[in-house]
Amino acid sequence: MTALPEEIYRKLKKVLAPPIRVTLLTHINPDGDAIGSMLGMYWFLVKKGCQVSMAVPNDFPHFLDWMEGADQILVFSKQGAKVKEELQKADLVFCLDFNEPGRLGKMKQVLEGSDVTMILVDHHPEPECTADLIFSDQEVSSTAELVYQLIEGLGDVELIDTLIATCLYVGIMTDTGCFSFNSSRPRTFEIVEGLLLRGIDKDRTFSLVYDNYSEDRMRLLGYSLEQKLVVIPEHRTAYISLTRDELMRFNHAKGDTEGFVNYPFSVSNIRISALFIERKDHIKISFRSKGDFPINSLAAQFFNGGGHKNAAGGESYEDLAVTIKKFENLIEQYSDEINSIP
Ligand code: 5GP
Ligand code: MN
């Protein structure tokens, strides 16, 4: 669904006014689109006079904490009671950038048994949330793009100022890998035009996100590429795995391995990439594919995960070596399909 019916916008317009209390939620391990769309929505609703709170399941990376309003975001793993309190007071909840309650991790308990009105704004396939209103379109680049469309549909595009535009730009920029994927629709660029017209500083925003890492992270990237990249040319697949010891050796901080999964594609002919990160009690996996190969199905079927056709993630409760072996076996099994990707 790309557009919501006029009647819905009319209803929403009536509702999104004082004294309504709104809570915004987004997924575990929040990324640039999660935080960007949340803060864009936050500043818009604040402008509308709504009382707004925001909550995420766990911490988000340092390269997003410069964003205005980021310090207002409640982190459930540290401020669980406060999040529950806000949810109890809320008249309306926006669920941003996720398609099933499991993506809220432990924070999903705050919605259990709640009868608060929920609106889902998301771009993942097959939303499974029992929201009262679902504004979902998997063709768009990002949830931030949908937030722009929602504001536009409400007739409030004039309320988008530099601050809101910058937040939405972060969402679009990060979810498209700086316009290198998920960004072939002209509409995405029309929206970016709208954001540029609001006076965003595109280059500074880029630098605040991508030139804001620690030296340790840069060296971890170097180590990952030099020592840990495994290339399997016959299956056009490459992957990187990192143990907890390796992460500790490089003083790993939240978000340090974000984006690592895209590097294997720089090797000619690679169509499938994966990143295995050993966590305390599980292995977190990122998957990427090119073309029509649905890596989200593989993530869902074999690694308790999901995501988009070309960008997905999952978890394994087996050890790192077993998890990698399982992935290698699957890649071998799907070799014909992978080899037919243009
Ligand atoms: P990333 O690899 O950047 O963490 O995630 C890529 C995509 O996969 C995102 O759209 C994210 O929402 C989705 N994703 C990542 N991990 C999981 C997971 O454990 N479960 C599900 N359902 N989706 C995931
Ligand atoms: Mn997204």
Side-chain angles (χ1 to χ4, degrees), residues 66-95:
W66 58 272
M67 295 178 72
E68 211 160 319
D71 55 348
Q72 306 286 315
I73 300 175
L74 298 169
V75 180
F76 181 76
S77 58
K78 296 193 276 199
Q79 298 158 287
K82 180 82 183 127
V83 174
K84 278 184 197 150
E85 196 185 304
E86 286 299 334
L87 255 300
Q88 271 156 14
K89 287 191 285 188
D91 304 301
L92 182 65
V93 169
F94 276 95
C95 296

Short mmCIF file of all heavy atoms in Angstrom, two decimals, residues 66-95:
data_model
loop_
_atom_site.label_atom_id
_atom_site.label_comp_id
_atom_site.label_asym_id
_atom_site.label_seq_id
_atom_site.Cartn_x
_atom_site.Cartn_y
_atom_site.Cartn_z
N TRP A 66 24.35 12.20 17.71
CA TRP A 66 24.45 13.64 17.48
C TRP A 66 23.09 14.23 17.05
O TRP A 66 22.91 15.45 17.08
CB TRP A 66 25.47 13.93 16.36
CG TRP A 66 25.11 13.22 15.07
CD1 TRP A 66 25.47 11.96 14.71
CD2 TRP A 66 24.27 13.70 14.02
NE1 TRP A 66 24.92 11.63 13.50
CE2 TRP A 66 24.17 12.68 13.05
CE3 TRP A 66 23.59 14.91 13.80
CZ2 TRP A 66 23.42 12.81 11.88
CZ3 TRP A 66 22.84 15.04 12.63
CH2 TRP A 66 22.76 14.00 11.69
N MET A 67 22.18 13.37 16.68
CA MET A 67 20.91 13.87 16.12
C MET A 67 20.09 14.58 17.20
O MET A 67 19.97 14.08 18.32
CB MET A 67 20.11 12.72 15.49
CG MET A 67 20.83 12.12 14.30
SD MET A 67 19.94 10.74 13.60
CE MET A 67 18.58 11.60 12.84
N GLU A 68 19.53 15.71 16.82
CA GLU A 68 18.77 16.49 17.79
C GLU A 68 17.57 15.70 18.29
O GLU A 68 16.78 15.21 17.47
CB GLU A 68 18.34 17.82 17.19
CG GLU A 68 18.26 18.87 18.24
CD GLU A 68 18.30 20.28 17.66
OE1 GLU A 68 19.09 20.53 16.72
OE2 GLU A 68 17.53 21.10 18.15
N GLY A 69 17.45 15.57 19.59
CA GLY A 69 16.34 14.82 20.18
C GLY A 69 16.75 13.40 20.56
O GLY A 69 16.02 12.71 21.26
N ALA A 70 17.93 12.97 20.10
CA ALA A 70 18.37 11.59 20.40
C ALA A 70 18.46 11.38 21.91
O ALA A 70 18.21 10.28 22.40
CB ALA A 70 19.72 11.31 19.73
N ASP A 71 18.80 12.45 22.63
CA ASP A 71 18.91 12.30 24.10
C ASP A 71 17.54 12.15 24.78
O ASP A 71 17.47 11.87 25.97
CB ASP A 71 19.68 13.50 24.69
CG ASP A 71 19.07 14.83 24.31
OD1 ASP A 71 18.19 14.86 23.41
OD2 ASP A 71 19.45 15.86 24.89
N GLN A 72 16.48 12.35 24.03
CA GLN A 72 15.12 12.18 24.59
C GLN A 72 14.63 10.74 24.44
O GLN A 72 13.57 10.39 24.94
CB GLN A 72 14.12 13.07 23.83
CG GLN A 72 14.47 14.53 23.75
CD GLN A 72 14.24 15.20 25.08
OE1 GLN A 72 13.21 14.99 25.72
NE2 GLN A 72 15.21 15.97 25.54
N ILE A 73 15.36 9.94 23.68
CA ILE A 73 14.88 8.58 23.40
C ILE A 73 15.12 7.68 24.62
O ILE A 73 16.24 7.57 25.11
CB ILE A 73 15.61 7.99 22.16
CG1 ILE A 73 15.32 8.85 20.93
CG2 ILE A 73 15.17 6.54 21.91
CD1 ILE A 73 16.09 8.43 19.67
N LEU A 74 14.06 7.05 25.10
CA LEU A 74 14.18 6.14 26.24
C LEU A 74 14.70 4.79 25.75
O LEU A 74 14.27 4.31 24.69
CB LEU A 74 12.82 5.93 26.90
CG LEU A 74 12.16 7.19 27.49
CD1 LEU A 74 10.72 6.90 27.87
CD2 LEU A 74 12.95 7.68 28.70
N VAL A 75 15.63 4.23 26.51
CA VAL A 75 16.19 2.92 26.14
C VAL A 75 15.62 1.87 27.11
O VAL A 75 15.92 1.90 28.30
CB VAL A 75 17.73 2.96 26.20
CG1 VAL A 75 18.32 1.60 25.81
CG2 VAL A 75 18.27 4.06 25.28
N PHE A 76 14.81 0.97 26.57
CA PHE A 76 14.07 0.02 27.41
C PHE A 76 14.99 -0.81 28.31
O PHE A 76 14.68 -1.04 29.47
CB PHE A 76 13.21 -0.90 26.53
CG PHE A 76 12.41 -1.88 27.31
CD1 PHE A 76 11.26 -1.49 28.00
CD2 PHE A 76 12.79 -3.22 27.40
CE1 PHE A 76 10.51 -2.40 28.74
CE2 PHE A 76 12.06 -4.14 28.14
CZ PHE A 76 10.92 -3.72 28.81
N SER A 77 16.14 -1.24 27.77
CA SER A 77 17.02 -2.10 28.58
C SER A 77 17.56 -1.36 29.81
O SER A 77 18.02 -2.00 30.75
CB SER A 77 18.19 -2.61 27.72
OG SER A 77 18.89 -1.51 27.19
N LYS A 78 17.49 -0.02 29.81
CA LYS A 78 18.01 0.74 30.96
C LYS A 78 16.90 1.48 31.70
O LYS A 78 17.05 1.83 32.86
CB LYS A 78 19.04 1.76 30.46
CG LYS A 78 20.26 1.13 29.84
CD LYS A 78 21.39 2.12 29.65
CE LYS A 78 21.24 2.90 28.37
NZ LYS A 78 22.45 3.53 27.90
N GLN A 79 15.81 1.78 30.97
CA GLN A 79 14.74 2.60 31.56
C GLN A 79 13.38 1.95 31.36
O GLN A 79 12.41 2.61 30.97
CB GLN A 79 14.74 3.99 30.88
CG GLN A 79 16.03 4.78 31.07
CD GLN A 79 16.18 5.83 29.99
OE1 GLN A 79 16.46 5.51 28.83
NE2 GLN A 79 15.97 7.07 30.34
N GLY A 80 13.33 0.63 31.62
CA GLY A 80 12.12 -0.15 31.37
C GLY A 80 10.87 0.42 32.03
O GLY A 80 9.81 0.52 31.41
N ALA A 81 11.01 0.83 33.32
CA ALA A 81 9.85 1.31 34.06
C ALA A 81 9.29 2.58 33.42
O ALA A 81 8.07 2.76 33.29
CB ALA A 81 10.24 1.56 35.51
N LYS A 82 10.19 3.45 33.01
CA LYS A 82 9.78 4.73 32.40
C LYS A 82 9.06 4.47 31.06
O LYS A 82 8.07 5.12 30.73
CB LYS A 82 11.04 5.59 32.19
CG LYS A 82 10.80 6.93 31.58
CD LYS A 82 10.36 7.97 32.62
CE LYS A 82 10.06 9.31 31.97
NZ LYS A 82 8.75 9.85 32.28
N VAL A 83 9.58 3.49 30.31
CA VAL A 83 8.94 3.15 29.03
C VAL A 83 7.52 2.64 29.29
O VAL A 83 6.56 3.06 28.62
CB VAL A 83 9.77 2.12 28.23
CG1 VAL A 83 9.03 1.66 26.98
CG2 VAL A 83 11.13 2.69 27.86
N LYS A 84 7.38 1.75 30.27
CA LYS A 84 6.05 1.21 30.60
C LYS A 84 5.10 2.33 30.98
O LYS A 84 3.95 2.38 30.54
CB LYS A 84 6.16 0.22 31.76
CG LYS A 84 6.60 -1.15 31.31
CD LYS A 84 6.60 -2.17 32.45
CE LYS A 84 7.43 -3.36 32.02
NZ LYS A 84 8.09 -4.05 33.07
N GLU A 85 5.61 3.25 31.79
CA GLU A 85 4.80 4.39 32.25
C GLU A 85 4.31 5.21 31.04
O GLU A 85 3.15 5.57 30.94
CB GLU A 85 5.71 5.23 33.14
CG GLU A 85 5.02 6.24 34.03
CD GLU A 85 6.10 7.06 34.75
OE1 GLU A 85 6.95 6.46 35.43
OE2 GLU A 85 6.10 8.28 34.57
N GLU A 86 5.21 5.49 30.12
CA GLU A 86 4.85 6.28 28.93
C GLU A 86 3.80 5.55 28.09
O GLU A 86 2.87 6.14 27.59
CB GLU A 86 6.08 6.59 28.07
CG GLU A 86 7.00 7.63 28.65
CD GLU A 86 6.35 9.00 28.85
OE1 GLU A 86 5.38 9.33 28.13
OE2 GLU A 86 6.80 9.73 29.74
N LEU A 87 4.00 4.24 27.95
CA LEU A 87 3.06 3.43 27.16
C LEU A 87 1.67 3.43 27.79
O LEU A 87 0.65 3.47 27.09
CB LEU A 87 3.58 2.00 27.02
CG LEU A 87 4.19 1.59 25.67
CD1 LEU A 87 3.17 1.71 24.56
CD2 LEU A 87 5.41 2.39 25.30
N GLN A 88 1.65 3.39 29.12
CA GLN A 88 0.34 3.37 29.80
C GLN A 88 -0.39 4.69 29.59
O GLN A 88 -1.62 4.72 29.51
CB GLN A 88 0.52 3.10 31.29
CG GLN A 88 0.48 1.60 31.58
CD GLN A 88 1.19 1.23 32.86
OE1 GLN A 88 1.50 2.10 33.69
NE2 GLN A 88 1.47 -0.04 33.03
N LYS A 89 0.36 5.78 29.48
CA LYS A 89 -0.27 7.10 29.33
C LYS A 89 -0.64 7.40 27.87
O LYS A 89 -1.41 8.30 27.59
CB LYS A 89 0.70 8.19 29.82
CG LYS A 89 0.83 8.22 31.35
CD LYS A 89 1.57 9.47 31.81
CE LYS A 89 3.05 9.39 31.55
NZ LYS A 89 3.87 10.44 32.11
N ALA A 90 -0.05 6.63 26.93
CA ALA A 90 -0.19 6.98 25.51
C ALA A 90 -1.60 6.74 24.99
O ALA A 90 -2.27 5.78 25.36
CB ALA A 90 0.80 6.17 24.69
N ASP A 91 -2.06 7.66 24.12
CA ASP A 91 -3.33 7.47 23.42
C ASP A 91 -3.09 6.77 22.09
O ASP A 91 -3.99 6.17 21.50
CB ASP A 91 -3.97 8.83 23.11
CG ASP A 91 -4.15 9.66 24.37
OD1 ASP A 91 -4.85 9.18 25.27
OD2 ASP A 91 -3.57 10.76 24.44
N LEU A 92 -1.86 6.92 21.59
CA LEU A 92 -1.55 6.41 20.26
C LEU A 92 -0.07 5.99 20.23
O LEU A 92 0.78 6.67 20.81
CB LEU A 92 -1.78 7.56 19.25
CG LEU A 92 -1.56 7.28 17.78
CD1 LEU A 92 -2.56 6.25 17.26
CD2 LEU A 92 -1.71 8.57 16.97
N VAL A 93 0.18 4.86 19.57
CA VAL A 93 1.56 4.39 19.44
C VAL A 93 1.90 4.24 17.95
O VAL A 93 1.12 3.66 17.20
CB VAL A 93 1.75 3.02 20.15
CG1 VAL A 93 3.09 2.39 19.80
CG2 VAL A 93 1.63 3.18 21.66
N PHE A 94 3.03 4.79 17.56
CA PHE A 94 3.53 4.54 16.21
C PHE A 94 4.64 3.50 16.29
O PHE A 94 5.58 3.65 17.08
CB PHE A 94 4.12 5.82 15.60
CG PHE A 94 3.11 6.71 14.95
CD1 PHE A 94 2.55 7.77 15.66
CD2 PHE A 94 2.70 6.50 13.64
CE1 PHE A 94 1.62 8.61 15.07
CE2 PHE A 94 1.77 7.34 13.04
CZ PHE A 94 1.22 8.39 13.76
N CYS A 95 4.51 2.43 15.51
CA CYS A 95 5.56 1.41 15.41
C CYS A 95 6.30 1.67 14.10
O CYS A 95 5.71 1.58 13.03
CB CYS A 95 4.94 0.01 15.38
SG CYS A 95 4.07 -0.39 16.90
#
